Amino acid sequence: RVKKAGGSGSAFFDAAMDTAAQERLQMENDLRTAIHERRIALYYQPRVDSRSGRVIGLEALVRWIEPDGRVIPPTEFIGLAEECGLIDELGALVMDEACRQLSIWKAMDLHPPRVGVNVSGHQLDSGALVPTLSATMARWAIEPGCVEIEVTETALVRDSESGSRQLEAVRALGVQVAIDDFGTGYSSLAYLTRLPSDTLKIDRAFVVDLARGDRAAEAVVRSIIGIARDLGKGVVAEGVESIEQVRALDGWGCHTIQGFIYARPLPAEAATRLLAEGGILRPSGPGTG
Ligand code: C2E
Ligand code: MG
Ligand code: MG
Ligand code: MG
């Protein structure tokens, strides 16, 4: 039996390829439908000032909601959206939803902190980002100071000149720019530090290694904090899960913390409750959020 299957290996392989291609096509169609039916949701993860416990920002993180209520994380569909040309539409929807939510919070008089929206490199490449941003903020009467975009270095390097110009244009609107996953790509420090930006986000990977007592990770983290300080930029550590990490970062001058130690990404209703209760969080350790 095994021999026989091996003999027809090529046909079997083709069939497997077909299945994979079909599943992909199916997923692409499902995603297109989900976007059209607006079956995507934003979860909001607090950024906290570790000295006061105050929530000083919220990162909007997209989720795809299946008709049966299943929640699909962005790691499973952002790449697909980029490859099949749906990312501009998805990005516009994310922007619209973030501004819609901001307008709700403002109407409730909740004084929401700035909301960070992740932007894919494709949105920068296509030139759609700036017009979409300004149209969306106008639609919901949102001041640009309420919005920040997060963009990864890998999203920018493909065409660094045009990427930088796009970021300049975003900042000219009054919208802040954060460099996400700072230092995880292959760009030179010279390039990274010259990107038009207001904030550097220290990637979870470095923060995780801190917990393991990794001296190299510590050196990287302290360097990023130093660069941010010397350039007059903000710095945020993400993926912080332990009080020891909070203390170390605080000692090195990074007081803005995002991670499970304070809160997981929260559905809009939970984020609303947090703001209504005054927007203060205490470190609580993983699993309790
Ligand atoms: P990111 O922008 O670096 O977001 C941080 C990710 O780390 C989030 O995963 C968040 O849930 C997770 N995280 C935060 N704190 C902790 C922690 O303490 N421990 C652990 N283990 N994880 C933590 P998520 O929501 O699955 O998002 C993954 C990535 O998907 C994001 O990474 C971002 O690159 C991308 N993404 C999310 N939303 C959007 C979007 O609307 N548009 C685009 N283009 N990309 C998005
Ligand atoms: Mg981000
Ligand atoms: Mg990140
Ligand atoms: Mg990341």
Side-chain angles (χ1 to χ4, degrees):
R1 246 132 306 207
V2 173
K3 279 236 171 71
K4 209 170 174 192
S8 59
S10 146
F12 178 78
F13 186 68
D14 286 348
M17 283 277 286
D18 280 355
T19 309
Q22 267 163 25
E23 275 170 6
R24 203 191 126 90
L25 194 63
Q26 182 64 49
M27 192 166 166
E28 186 181 322
N29 286 331
D30 289 350
L31 180 58
R32 185 169 283 113
T33 308
I35 292 171
H36 289 156
E37 293 176 356
R38 215 183 162 104
R39 259 189 298 101
I40 67 127
L42 296 184
Y43 279 37
Y44 298 89
Q45 188 178 31
R47 258 188 205 184
V48 180
D49 182 331
S50 60
R51 294 163 300 187
S52 62
R54 184 162 296 283
V55 176
I56 54 175
L58 293 167
E59 179 174 6
L61 294 154
V62 71
R63 305 288 185 258
W64 168 6
I65 312 295
E66 289 271 66
D68 63 5
R70 202 162 62 92
V71 177
I72 305 178
T75 44
E76 286 179 33
F77 64 90
I78 291 292
L80 176 68
E82 288 174 343
E83 284 157 28
C84 68
L86 285 169
I87 193 69
D88 277 347
E89 222 177 314
L90 178 62
L93 186 50
V94 164
M95 199 69 75
D96 188 72
E97 181 57 21
C99 288
R100 190 184 71 88
Q101 187 61 61
L102 267 168
S103 79
I104 292 173
W105 285 331
K106 282 174 62 188
M108 293 171 78
D109 220 15
L110 288 178
H111 300 97
R114 185 175 290 128
V115 171
V117 177
N118 291 282
V119 162
S120 153
H122 293 249
Q123 289 168 269
L124 286 173
D125 293 345
S126 74
L129 180 65
V130 174
T132 302
L133 248 179
S134 54
T136 309
M137 290 187 303
R139 186 179 318 127
W140 296 102
I142 298 302
E143 301 95 70
C146 300
V147 182
E148 177 173 80
I149 64 154
E150 296 194 3
V151 58
T152 61
E153 121 193 32
T154 36
L156 288 160
V157 287
R158 274 167 303 158
D159 183 354
S160 55
E161 268 299 301
S162 133
S164 288
R165 273 199 307 276
Q166 297 278 324
L167 295 188
E168 290 287 12
V170 168
R171 293 176 87 202
L173 291 176
V175 170
Q176 294 211 353
V177 171
I179 306 300
D180 210 346
D181 307 348
F182 187 89
T184 56
Y186 297 95
S187 314
S188 73
L189 265 184
Y191 167 72
L192 275 180
T193 51
R194 279 191 178 83
L195 286 172
S197 69
D198 303 279
T199 301
L200 310 181
K201 293 196 78 175
I202 304 171
D203 193 65
R204 192 166 81 83
F206 299 127
V207 175
V208 167
D209 289 343
L210 274 186
R212 304 201 185 101
D214 183 326
R215 307 246 343 251
E218 173 177 334
V220 170
V221 168
R222 296 179 74 160
S223 302
I224 297 173
I225 295 167
I227 289 168
R229 184 187 52 232
D230 292 349
L231 295 176
K233 297 179 192 291
V235 62
V236 181
E238 77 179 350
V240 178
E241 296 188 356
S242 74
I243 190 69
E244 289 76 20
Q245 290 166 324
V246 176
R247 290 203 187 106
L249 289 157
D250 190 61
W252 300 329
C254 176
H255 314 293
T256 307
I257 305 293
Q258 186 180 332
F260 294 176
I261 183 74
Y262 285 107
R264 288 169 186 270
L266 305 169
E269 313 78 64
T272 303
R273 230 173 296 129
L274 171 63
L275 296 178
E277 287 163 1
I280 301 288
L281 285 170
R282 296 288 162 211
S284 57
T288 56

